């Protein structure tokens, strides 16, 4: 029932936009074709699409489908299925936009496979190499690994080490690459770092485990120093199999000193990020930096975890006023939790850039849901909610942002329409006014409909420029 209502909102919204477009014809920039001619070209393009794709075809649609299939399997703890899907995905698309996420998920699957069926890994890749060698190499990306198969290279990429006795073990290499790559789109690098060192933590059970315990202490300190607001600190620190209350051995003075320092430091950091409340808030500004600690007077000691913009949202966990001796005034800091598909990212930011205006509670909730769907690549579901926000009678803080992301969603969907037998094709047929077919580039784009809508109802919005040229200009105020 809710989905039906949203679709009705979307159809109403398109009707409203169509009227707005007629009223703002003189303001359209860079229009290529008139509406009737553009509509006919779009119809011809849709009619020309094949019903199904060839087995060996590699389009943006098949790329995303392969990634989502593997991701959903791993998130459902079907690690064998996830391993197969993601291994094939990265074998065929090693430089995909989704590469860092796929590598993270594949690494988790490899840990499972090494514990359940380690010999299957080699068997799977040998079969995969035989299958893909039959495809036309021109149908794959230039950087694919086709024709260059080597099980040693595969093991190296997967972080698998082979001992002299032919035993296989995991060294965390895929996660280390994610942590060290600055251009990685995977946000939760503390989680990747955890998986890169997890295999080195040991259970403490006997008097012979003293060296292993000291390693646990060192690893715990290293993770906390590197990601001092990570929620993983508490998970590891409170694991009694790693740090039992009573040790089966005696530490010497130096070892006890290291342990006590770790215990006090990590315990204090865990206490400082314990939630005191959970309040939803949206970001009121662009380029807002979330740090691993409150910024000190001496700059450069804090690490930037993420940059937020005015279409992001967070959960405020706690608030604290800190006296700035230079400004001679209190500064309000908030500990925020930024939720991702894989877990929470927690850090500190200036409180003045966050608000939870109660007048926008319902709209904010809807926009938050839409952004979660967009960030998780569920574009059609996201589009329905963005459209419902735009169908409201009055404008609000999220109106132009919803138009912008609906425009981006439609561009993404346009890239994914390559055959008739998929949901993206059905979406374009249902909402044709959202799209136009560029005959020069042979690409389906989002039309000027949303741009015209923004310049009519919110002429001063910076998002009209983003839609006009998809500018990624950031208006820094932090």
């Amino acid at each position: 029932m809710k989905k039906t209502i949203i679709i009705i909102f979307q159809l109403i919204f398109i009707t409203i936009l169509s009227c707005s477009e007629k009223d703002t014809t003189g303001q359209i920039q860079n229009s290529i074709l008139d509406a009737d001619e553009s509509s006919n070209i779009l119809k011809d393009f849709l009619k020309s699409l094949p019903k199904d794709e060839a087995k060996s075809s590699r389009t943006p649609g098949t790329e995303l489908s392969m990634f989502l299939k593997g991701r959903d399997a791993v998130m459902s703890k079907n690690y064998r299925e996830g391993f197969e899907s993601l291994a094939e995905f990265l074998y065929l698309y090693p430089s995909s936009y989704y590469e860092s996420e796929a590598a993270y998920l594949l690494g988790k699957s490899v840990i499972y496979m090494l514990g359940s069926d380690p010999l299957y890994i080699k068997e799977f890749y040998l079969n995969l190499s035989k299958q893909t060698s039959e495809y036309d190499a021109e149908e794959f990306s230039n950087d694919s690994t086709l024709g260059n198969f080597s099980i040693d290279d595969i093991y190296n990429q997967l972080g698998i080490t082979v001992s002299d006795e032919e035993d296989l073990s995991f060294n965390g290499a895929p996660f280390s690459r994610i942590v060290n790559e600055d251009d990685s789109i995977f946000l939760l690098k503390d989680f990747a770092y955890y998986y890169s060192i997890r295999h080195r933590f040991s259970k403490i059970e006997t008097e012979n485990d003293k060296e292993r315990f000291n390693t646990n202490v060192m690893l715990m300190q290293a993770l906390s120093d590197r990601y001092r607001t990570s929620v993983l600190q508490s998970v590891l620190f409170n694991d009694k199999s790693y740090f039992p209350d009573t040790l089966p051995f005696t530490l010497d003075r130096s070892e006890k000193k290291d342990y006590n320092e770790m215990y006090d430091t990590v315990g204090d950091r865990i206490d400082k990020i314990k939630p005191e409340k959970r309040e939803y808030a949206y970001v009121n500004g662009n380029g807002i930096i979330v740090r691993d600690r409150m910024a000190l007077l001496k700059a450069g000691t804090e690490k930037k975890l993420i940059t937020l913009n005015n279409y992001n949202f967070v959960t405020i966990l706690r608030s604290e006023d800190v006296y700035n001796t230079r400004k001679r005034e209190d500064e309000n800091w908030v500990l925020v939790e930024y939720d991702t598909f894989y877990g929470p990212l927690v850090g500190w930011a200036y409180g003045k850039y966050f608000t939870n205006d109660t007048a926008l509670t319902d709209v904010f909730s809807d926009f938050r849901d839409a952004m979660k769907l967009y960030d998780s690549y569920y574009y059609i579901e996201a589009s329905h909610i963005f459209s419902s926000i735009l169908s409201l009678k009055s404008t609000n803080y999220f109106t132009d942002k919803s138009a912008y992301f609906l425009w981006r969603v439609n561009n993404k969907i346009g890239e994914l329409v390559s055959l008739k037998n998929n949901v993206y094709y059905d979406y374009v047929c249902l909402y044709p006014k959202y799209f136009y077919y560029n005959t020069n580039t042979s690409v389906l784009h989002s039309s000027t409909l949303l741009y015209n809508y923004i310049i009519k109802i919110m002429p001063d919005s910076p998002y009209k420029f983003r839609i006009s040229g998809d500018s990624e200009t950031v208006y820094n105020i932090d």
Side-chain angles (χ1 to χ4, degrees), residues 310-453:
N310 62 7
Y311 46 76
N312 293 125
F313 49 89
V314 299
T315 303
I316 296 178
L317 304 180
R318 60 194 297 165
S319 177
E320 192 170 329
D321 290 329
V322 178
Y323 186 72
N324 187 319
T325 56
R326 289 182 180 175
K327 296 182 178 180
R328 296 184 179 181
E329 61 183 23
D330 283 336
E331 290 180 332
N332 179 246
W333 286 83
V334 290
L335 184 70
V336 300
E337 178 181 281
Y338 178 72
D339 194 26
T340 79
F341 190 81
Y342 305 101
L345 185 153
V346 176
W348 291 95
Y350 287 116
K352 60 185 177 181
Y353 297 131
F354 301 88
T355 184
N356 58 349
D357 186 351
T358 55
L360 294 175
T361 299
D362 292 339
V363 179
F364 169 46
S365 178
D366 289 342
F367 185 82
R368 185 175 70 244
D369 291 342
M371 286 301 300
K372 285 182 179 179
L373 291 165
Y374 174 83
D375 290 336
S376 303
Y377 317 118
Y378 295 131
Y379 297 123
I380 292 178
E381 294 84 350
S383 75
H384 294 325
I385 301 179
F386 286 133
S387 293
S388 70
I389 295 173
L390 293 177
S391 299
L392 298 175
K393 293 181 179 180
S394 59
T395 61
N396 58 71
Y397 185 78
F398 301 104
T399 300
D400 56 346
K401 299 162 191 62
S402 294
Y404 172 63
F405 277 98
L406 181 57
W407 178 81
R408 294 196 68 169
V409 160
N410 290 336
N411 271 325
K412 291 290 186 181
I413 290 175
E415 296 174 7
L416 301 171
V417 178
S418 55
L419 71 159
K420 294 178 180 177
N421 192 19
N422 74 21
V423 295
Y424 306 110
Y425 171 87
D426 296 338
Y427 176 90
V428 176
C429 290
L430 189 59
Y431 309 114
K433 290 185 179 293
Y434 276 152
F435 299 92
Y436 80 93
Y437 183 69
N438 189 324
T439 55
N440 294 325
T441 60
S442 299
V443 175
L444 188 62
H445 291 291
S446 180
S447 70
T448 59
L449 204 60
L450 292 162
Y451 174 79
N452 297 334
Y453 180 69

Side-chain angles (χ1 to χ4, degrees), residues 93-233:
Y93 299 100
S95 296
S96 169
Y97 172 80
Y98 318 104
E99 186 273 335
S100 58
E101 287 182 71
Y104 171 77
L105 294 165
L106 180 60
K108 294 183 68 173
S109 300
V110 167
I111 293 174
Y112 169 82
M113 294 301 297
L114 288 174
S116 62
D117 192 1
L119 297 181
Y120 179 70
I121 296 176
K122 182 176 181 179
E123 176 187 339
F124 173 82
Y125 274 100
L126 287 172
N127 290 333
L128 178 62
S129 177
K130 292 177 183 177
Q131 293 171 12
T132 54
S133 64
E134 300 173 359
Y135 295 160
D136 184 351
E138 292 182 358
E139 295 191 35
F140 297 91
S141 56
N142 294 331
D143 57 354
S144 71
T145 53
L146 294 176
N148 300 308
F149 179 81
S150 165
I151 195 63
D152 291 335
D153 290 341
I154 294 295
Y155 279 173
N156 182 57
Q157 288 294 313
L158 295 178
I160 296 175
T161 302
V162 184
S163 69
D164 293 337
E165 293 77 21
E166 298 298 316
D167 292 328
L168 305 182
S169 60
F170 184 69
N171 63 22
F175 303 119
S176 297
R177 287 195 296 271
I178 293 173
V179 170
N180 295 323
E181 289 176 357
D182 292 334
D183 58 347
S184 170
I185 67 166
F186 189 75
L187 296 178
L188 291 173
K189 294 196 173 185
D190 53 340
F191 279 62
Y193 182 74
Y194 161 68
Y195 281 107
S196 73
I197 64 172
R198 192 186 75 163
H199 62 288
R200 296 174 61 192
F201 278 89
S202 303
K203 292 184 178 180
I204 307 305
E205 299 172 321
T206 71
E207 60 184 12
N208 298 321
D209 292 336
K210 181 177 178 180
E211 184 175 343
R212 293 178 178 177
F213 177 78
N214 290 331
T215 298
N216 288 351
V217 172
M218 180 270 292
L219 293 173
M220 183 71 252
Q221 184 72 55
L223 184 143
S224 181
D225 287 344
R226 191 161 190 169
Y227 301 102
R228 62 189 293 162
T229 56
S230 172
V231 297
L232 293 172
Q233 291 178 104

Side-chain angles (χ1 to χ4, degrees), residues 198-315:
R198 192 186 75 163
H199 62 288
R200 296 174 61 192
F201 278 89
S202 303
K203 292 184 178 180
I204 307 305
E205 299 172 321
T206 71
E207 60 184 12
N208 298 321
D209 292 336
K210 181 177 178 180
E211 184 175 343
R212 293 178 178 177
F213 177 78
N214 290 331
T215 298
N216 288 351
V217 172
M218 180 270 292
L219 293 173
M220 183 71 252
Q221 184 72 55
L223 184 143
S224 181
D225 287 344
R226 191 161 190 169
Y227 301 102
R228 62 189 293 162
T229 56
S230 172
V231 297
L232 293 172
Q233 291 178 104
S234 181
V235 174
L236 289 167
F237 186 71
N238 293 308
D239 191 326
K240 298 304 180 183
S241 65
Y242 297 152
F243 303 104
D245 293 330
T246 303
L247 300 177
F249 42 75
T250 302
L251 300 176
D252 63 31
R253 178 179 296 181
S254 177
E255 292 166 340
K256 192 171 184 178
K257 178 177 179 294
D258 291 340
Y259 172 60
N260 288 338
E261 287 180 353
M262 184 281 292
Y263 188 91
D264 293 340
T265 299
V266 177
D268 183 58
R269 289 173 181 171
I270 291 173
D271 286 339
K272 287 184 177 179
I273 63 170
K274 284 182 178 178
E276 295 179 342
K277 55 185 174 181
R278 297 194 69 87
E279 295 178 353
Y280 288 129
Y282 56 88
V283 183
N284 186 17
N286 283 293
I288 308 306
I289 298 172
V290 177
R291 303 171 170 89
D292 70 336
R293 72 197 79 180
M294 298 178 194
L296 303 178
L297 294 179
K298 184 178 180 182
T301 56
E302 66 283 343
K303 182 191 302 179
K304 182 174 78 172
L305 300 175
I306 190 175
T307 300
L308 300 178
N309 297 297
N310 62 7
Y311 46 76
N312 293 125
F313 49 89
V314 299
T315 303

Side-chain angles (χ1 to χ4, degrees), residues 40-51 420 425:
N40 290 333
I41 290 177
L42 174 62
K43 290 178 181 178
D44 291 340
F45 165 71
L46 294 175
K47 288 180 181 179
S48 70
L49 293 174
K51 183 176 181 180
K420 294 178 180 177
Y425 171 87

